[in-house]
Amino acid sequence: SETPTSLPFSSPRLIATMGKYVQAQRKGKSPIFKAHVRTRKGAVKLRSIDYAERRGYVRGVIKDIMHDPGRGAPVAKVQFLNAYRYKRDTELMVATEGMYTGQFIYCGKKATLTIGNVLPLSQVPEGTIVCNVEAKVGDRGAFARGSGCFAV
């Protein structure tokens, strides 16, 4: 039987350095494997639910549709009037197919069922194709957010 000393390499230092590094495990070790987030546009979320959205609807206008590096789906910059202060709120949302700049979108319970509008799932008929669905009420979007993703 062969003993560990009869192997061609008897140094314990050589045994420790054999093999290859797994690239997925190097992500925390060196800066070249970290995600480049400097040019990202920001967190993509739905509007936070307020009184106007729970009871009626809020109108917003799509100011820009842009590409977000590291994301497959395009991002829409939507501007809403603030209900409580004299200012405008800008939200980043996942752009759906058929959205265009200058389009008015409506968010709320009484919004109509058209492309780009945000409604509660209880108001949407069964079998409708939707995207950016909340897992829990108020989590601002969890399912079907990627490029080409949808839920029925």
Side-chain angles (χ1 to χ4, degrees):
S1 74
E2 290 188 9
T3 60
T5 55
S6 66
L7 293 173
F9 46 87
S10 59
S11 172
R13 185 174 166 270
L14 287 176
I15 293 172
T17 58
M18 284 182 60
K20 296 189 185 321
Y21 285 112
V22 179
Q23 294 296 334
Q25 292 176 349
R26 289 201 55 203
K27 285 189 175 171
K29 188 167 177 74
S30 150
I32 61 169
F33 288 100
K34 289 183 182 170
H36 305 293
V37 295
R38 184 176 57 85
T39 58
R40 299 241 173 124
K41 304 299 183 237
V44 175
K45 297 179 179 177
L46 295 172
R47 284 186 83 242
S48 56
I49 301 173
D50 58 353
Y51 181 83
E53 202 169 326
R54 270 196 305 267
R55 302 279 185 231
Y57 61 85
V58 180
R59 186 180 80 169
V61 63
I62 299 175
K63 289 293 184 183
D64 194 15
I65 295 178
M66 52 198 163
H67 169 70
D68 190 13
R71 182 187 301 276
V75 175
K77 185 185 285 188
V78 186
Q79 202 171 64
F80 296 95
L81 284 175
N82 192 306
Y84 305 106
R85 291 186 180 81
Y86 181 69
K87 67 175 189 173
R88 296 174 195 260
D89 295 329
T90 303
E91 300 282 341
L92 286 176
M93 297 183 177
V94 175
T96 59
E97 190 175 354
M99 273 187 174
Y100 55 90
T101 56
Q103 177 187 5
F104 289 116
I105 64 167
Y106 298 92
C107 302
K109 185 178 178 184
K110 303 241 174 114
T112 59
L113 185 65
T114 55
I115 292 174
N117 286 359
V118 181
L119 286 87
L121 272 181
S122 59
Q123 302 295 114
V124 177
E126 192 173 328
T128 307
I129 294 174
V130 294
C131 71
N132 203 5
V133 182
E134 292 183 337
K136 300 180 185 123
V137 176
D139 74 354
R140 302 178 76 178
F143 302 127
R145 292 165 47 112
S147 178
C149 293
F150 62 92
V152 180

